[in-house]
């Protein structure tokens, strides 16, 4: 494999994807990029980092040409809740940025990874066992950009033979970098509050069920789909992938098994609740399992145990 560019490399996924790619392909093969610099040890110290605003076509082209990039993992995006605060900026970055990446990729024949999301579904989508191919009428600008991104990735593959691949990721839980402005962020924040104060005020209702995944599984899935034998893929983009599906009350109960005094209450944020209510409860990810062997390692209990250990160590609470 030639050189790799990761956009949005200092975000929640990029902060763990970049070190994993560097371990697999070597530090010099992976160029990390972000819109503004901040120090994230494993990303900023392990290899080259470029400042890159994906809404600027010429800047993407310059970085891709400078480093002779062959594969782009496009992680730069604004999440669902913050996207509703600034929908036009979200569209420009989430759709415009991806359209720019595809334009450059087409000229340079780069493979491209696109992270779609459970946000690509909407209230008219079947909520349970959500099929791989189904109704997609999302009600957020984030979701609209994800659906168009999925279609555009398929179009570039069919029309220009570009090797585009992607996943519909669920809420991601991680301890390295915090998510920012997402609807599923509660499932990360709860661990920090459980360690710091043994209590958490949740912005979603107790019974809000959503698909989730621990970051080591997400990074493995992203790398696995990009390395999959193309001949086995009848879908290429937007594979449903999930590892677990739980409610805030169920996550709190899993934490209480380790911290019996942990308490949760609910102060519902109407915006994020409405977004969560428009998303599936649990997706059917059998296409990913059949076509490229998707198999998560972490369920709710295993993820909770590992998160509590890692967040406690990070906060110096061990
Ligand atoms: C969000 O909540 O916006 C993201 C997602 C599920 O795509 N974590």
């Amino acid at each position: 494999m030639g050189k790799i560019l990761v956009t949005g490399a200092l975000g929640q996924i990029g902060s763990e994807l970049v070190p994993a790619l560097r371990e697999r392909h070597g530090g010099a093969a992976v160029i990390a990029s972000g819109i503004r610099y901040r120090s994230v040890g494993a990303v900023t110290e392990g290899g080259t980092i470029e400042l890159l605003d994906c809404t600027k076509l010429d800047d993407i082209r310059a970085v891709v040409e400078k480093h002779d990039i062959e594969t782009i993992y496009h992680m730069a995006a604004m999440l669902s809740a913050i996207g509703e605060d600034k929908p036009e900026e979200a569209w420009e970055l989430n759709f415009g940025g991806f359209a720019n990446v595809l334009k450059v990729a087409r000229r340079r024949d780069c493979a491209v990874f696109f992270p779609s999301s459970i946000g690509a579904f909407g209230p008219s989508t079947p909520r349970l066992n959500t099929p791989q191919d189904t109704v997609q009428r999302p009600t957020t600008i984030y979701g609209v950009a994800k659906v168009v991104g999925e279609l555009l990735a398929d179009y570039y593959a069919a029309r220009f033979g570009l090797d585009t691949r992607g996943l519909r990721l669920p809420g991601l839980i991680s301890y390295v970098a915090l998510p920012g402005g997402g609807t599923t962020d509660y499932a990360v924040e709860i661990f920090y509050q459980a360690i710091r104060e043994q209590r958490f005020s949740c912005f979603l209702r107790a019974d809000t069920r959503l698909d989730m995944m621990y970051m080591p599984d997400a990074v493995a899935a992203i790398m696995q789909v990009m390395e999959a034998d193309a001949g086995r893929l009848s879908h290429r983009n937007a594979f449903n992938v999930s590892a677990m599906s739980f409610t805030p009350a169920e996550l709190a109960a899993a934490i209480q098994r380790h911290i019996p005094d942990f308490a949760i209450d609910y102060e519902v944020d109407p915006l994020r609740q409405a977004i969560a209510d428009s998303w599936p409860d649990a997706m059917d990810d059998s296409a990913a399992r059949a076509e490229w062997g998707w198999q998560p390692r972490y369920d709710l209990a295993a993820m909770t145990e590992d998160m509590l250990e890692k967040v406690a160590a990070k906060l110096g609470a061990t």
Side-chain angles (χ1 to χ4, degrees), residues 29-43:
V30 182
I31 312 301
S33 70
I35 192 160
R36 63 187 71 82
Y37 184 85
R38 71 189 171 88
S39 173
V40 174
V43 176

Side-chain angles (χ1 to χ4, degrees), residues 49-61:
I49 172 126
E50 292 276 1
L51 287 185
L52 179 59
D53 176 352
C54 291
T55 64
K56 304 215 161 62
L57 177 66
D58 289 341
D59 292 2
I60 304 174
R61 187 180 295 134

Side-chain angles (χ1 to χ4, degrees), residues 169-187:
L169 292 165
L172 296 180
I173 299 156
S174 65
Y175 57 87
V176 175
L178 290 169
T183 302
T184 58
D185 293 7
Y186 90 85

Side-chain angles (χ1 to χ4, degrees), residues 12 78-82 116-120 142 146 169-172 179-185 210-211 275 279:
Q12 191 196 11
M78 205 181 283
L79 292 182
S80 56
I82 194 167
S116 188
S117 157
I118 51 173
Y142 178 75
K146 291 298 188 195
L169 292 165
L172 296 180
T183 302
T184 58
D185 293 7
L210 291 167
D211 279 300
I275 296 174
W279 290 353

